Amino acid sequence: MNKEVTLQVGQIVKVLKGRDAGQYAVIVSMEDSRFAWIADGDKRKFDGAKKKNVLHLEPQPFISSEVVNSLQESGRVTNGKLRFAVSRFVSDKSKADQKGD
């Protein structure tokens, strides 16, 4: 069962395994096809990004353009932008859930 998951930098993911299970984070870089580095700007800062197996991440249909642009311009992203991207996604998702999506 090798499902090829395409993840992109700036994409929001839900952590499925480990200490952060159930939480959302942003992909800040891809190591290779098996590992991604994630951060949420809060508990997991950009400078302390966590390396996660992509099979332990559930990609969400949301890519933060602010994060992508910042990483392309400077190779870094502020923790505030990461927090903003995650909180915006979570608030959008909860609105969609309330509508009975």
Side-chain angles (χ1 to χ4, degrees):
M1 185 187 113
N2 188 1
K3 59 178 186 178
E4 194 55 44
V5 188
T6 54
L7 296 170
Q8 289 176 276
V9 170
Q11 188 167 16
I12 303 279
V13 291
K14 183 176 184 182
V15 181
L16 301 175
K17 300 262 191 227
R19 178 181 300 186
D20 303 331
Q23 296 179 344
Y24 293 97
V26 182
I27 296 179
V28 291
S29 74
M30 293 298 296
E31 177 143 318
D32 51 33
S33 62
R34 290 187 51 227
F35 292 101
W37 291 87
I38 62 168
D40 64 7
D42 183 20
K43 290 188 201 68
R44 179 70 61 194
K45 305 279 195 251
F46 176 77
D47 290 329
K50 173 96 174 105
K51 182 179 177 184
K52 290 292 283 182
N53 184 324
V54 298
L55 297 176
H56 298 167
L57 300 173
E58 180 185 306
Q60 303 297 313
F62 180 83
I63 294 171
S64 169
S65 54
E66 290 95 346
V67 172
V68 174
N69 293 340
S70 180
L71 284 165
Q72 284 173 344
E73 286 167 19
S74 63
R76 298 184 56 77
V77 63
T78 64
N79 291 312
K81 276 190 184 151
L82 292 172
R83 283 192 301 273
F84 176 74
V86 171
S87 66
R88 192 172 72 181
F89 169 76
V90 170
S91 71
D92 286 355
K93 182 180 183 316
S94 63
K95 283 184 199 137
D97 289 350
Q98 286 168 358
K99 279 186 198 142
D101 204 18

